[in-house]
Amino acid sequence: MLVLSRKKDETIVVNDNIYITIVDIRGDKIRVGINAPPEVAIHREELSKKPVDTTLASETSEIRS
């Protein structure tokens, strides 16, 4: 993992077409702006790790006689 220090309004460039800018710093929170081509998917990691509700899947997989 590459770790960089940035100040407000500084930008990191990835692959010549993705720009990550530090927009604001408030206490222990950072606001980040990302400018990328539309074909690049950008997701927050905590949303992709959301637990899946398996209740419905287990109910539909029961064998009924």
Side-chain angles (χ1 to χ4, degrees):
M1 173 190 303
L2 174 64
V3 178
L4 301 172
S5 296
R6 298 282 81 193
K7 295 179 182 177
K8 184 178 174 185
D9 297 325
E10 292 184 334
T11 300
I12 299 167
V13 180
V14 180
N15 203 30
D16 293 329
N17 64 347
I18 301 170
Y19 297 85
I20 304 169
T21 303
I22 306 304
V23 176
D24 195 14
I25 302 170
R26 294 180 187 171
D28 65 342
K29 294 193 179 194
I30 303 169
R31 293 184 69 206
V32 178
I34 303 171
N35 188 356
E39 63 270 10
V40 175
I42 300 171
H43 304 284
R44 293 184 353 211
E45 182 183 26
E46 67 272 14
L47 296 180
S48 65
K49 290 184 177 183
K50 246 178 143 175
V52 177
D53 184 5
T54 56
T55 307
L56 182 60
S58 65
E59 289 174 359
T60 58
S61 64
E62 291 179 10
I63 299 175
R64 301 179 190 242
S65 52

